[in-house]
Amino acid sequence: MRIVISGASGFIGTALSARLLGSGHEVLRLVRRPPAGTGEAYWDPAAGQLDEAVLDGADAVVNLSGAGIGERRWTKARVRDIIDSRLRTTRTLTAAMGRLGTPPGTFLSQSASGYYGSSRAGLLREDAGPGRGMLATLCVDWEAAAHTAPAGVRVVTPRTGVVLSPDGGALGPLLPLLKLGVGGPLGNGRQYWPWISLVDEVSAFEYLLNSSLEGPVNVCAPESADVNAIVAQLAAALHRPAFLRVPAPVLRLALGSHLAEELVLANQRMEPARLMDSGFAWQHPALADAARWVASGGK
């Protein structure tokens, strides 16, 4: 397939591009600087600018653009940037598709587990409604923007959880601390994180590009785990202790209450029901498998 990707230089985008190229697909990366070669094309989503000819002949478009959610405190300006960087890019892509006589057949536009809000009881399958909070509202609007794609385009909105990687990824500064033996659970550790290994994340995206699934798809591992279990398994795989718990008040003080509550302390026991029902196979279905993969440096 010929696949156009926005956000291709990001954490997931870099791994996905490599995976798709390795599978024999043609990948065109959208960039906001002068293109470095034939594998890149310029766009300016902040201004809503994208030459629709870039998408002409593409089989699929993958939208991974967006400012980092947990990289810094949520000031009003930062929250606006988090929102705008997602909605503007998505609308720029769907508008360009709409100007084509024959748009790409598939639009895979990233969403997140934040759709379900910061504190939900029970298993969260794709038919669960949205929760409350900034991230939930954003994800609702983000998915709605994806569905402004032209009629006939198969729209998929993967709700991704915490992506585990040897390079840290969503674990941020926690993984280096665990490697030093000075890490530990966050808050009481009983909050569920919908985790998935990076290799399974990109495998799921490639699977969704080739499948007939559409609409929301929970992208996480089939095994549920709370933060206590995730930290314990990672520490065990690294052969390090993990007893230095970071209390919730300290997290709220360090990160800001809204970011801490909606991202780090959020309880989301998400289940990948549609992936399981469709026959997707995980390389790391169990947390112990993923922890060993992370500890081995991805080998």
Side-chain angles (χ1 to χ4, degrees):
M1 292 189 290
R2 183 172 185 267
I3 303 168
V4 178
I5 302 181
S6 73
S9 62
F11 170 60
I12 295 174
T14 299
L16 179 61
S17 296
R19 170 71 177 241
L20 295 175
L21 288 168
S23 296
H25 300 293
E26 178 187 350
V27 172
L28 180 65
R29 304 171 181 85
L30 297 181
V31 297
R32 307 180 198 196
R33 50 166 174 74
T38 56
E40 296 182 347
Y42 174 78
W43 75 326
D44 184 359
Q49 296 178 356
L50 172 61
D51 185 350
E52 62 271 18
V54 171
L55 306 182
D56 194 16
D59 298 290
V61 176
V62 178
N63 177 27
L64 300 173
S65 293
I69 289 176
E71 291 178 358
R72 64 188 74 165
R73 292 175 71 93
W74 284 2
T75 62
K76 289 184 178 180
R78 182 60 179 175
V79 168
R80 188 74 259 162
D81 189 33
I82 289 171
I83 295 170
D84 289 346
S85 64
R86 284 163 173 78
L87 300 187
R88 287 178 179 171
T89 53
T90 306
R91 290 166 181 159
T92 298
L93 289 167
T94 60
M97 292 182 210
R99 296 193 295 270
L100 290 172
T102 304
T106 298
F107 182 37
L108 195 156
S109 187
Q110 180 74 286
S111 185
S113 60
Y115 174 91
Y116 299 108
S118 58
S119 184
R120 296 284 292 274
L123 285 176
L124 299 169
R125 301 181 179 91
E126 287 86 351
D127 57 358
R132 298 178 180 178
M134 189 279 284
L135 292 180
T137 301
L138 166 60
C139 288
V140 168
D141 293 342
W142 198 6
E143 293 183 14
H147 284 282
T148 63
V153 175
R154 181 176 65 95
V155 178
V156 189
T157 52
R159 294 172 181 165
T160 293
V162 176
V163 181
L164 306 182
S165 164
D167 298 321
L171 294 176
L174 178 59
L175 188 58
L177 292 176
L178 288 173
K179 289 179 178 179
L180 292 171
V182 293
L186 305 173
N188 62 27
R190 294 192 294 272
Q191 68 272 31
Y192 279 87
W193 279 2
W195 65 273
I196 188 169
S197 70
L198 179 59
V199 67
D200 280 334
E201 170 80 3
V202 299
S203 178
F205 273 49
E206 184 177 26
Y207 177 84
L208 290 172
L209 285 171
N210 288 287
S211 77
S212 60
L213 290 174
E214 56 185 314
V217 177
N218 288 347
V219 179
C220 61
E223 180 182 289
S224 297
D226 63 17
V227 171
N228 284 330
I230 291 172
V231 170
Q233 288 283 6
L234 287 170
L238 291 164
H239 306 291
R240 294 289 188 273
F243 54 83
L244 297 178
R245 185 180 301 275
V246 184
V250 174
L251 289 167
R252 295 187 187 101
L253 182 64
L255 303 175
S257 59
H258 293 299
L259 191 158
E261 291 292 343
E262 293 198 36
L263 201 63
V264 180
L265 300 173
N267 180 67
Q268 297 159 342
R269 193 173 181 181
M270 198 166 76
E271 181 180 86
R274 301 190 70 198
L275 281 178
M276 290 191 295
D277 291 346
S278 68
F280 176 72
W282 283 261
Q283 185 172 331
H284 305 123
L287 179 59
D289 301 329
R292 285 191 292 269
W293 176 76
V294 169
S296 70
K299 298 176 182 177

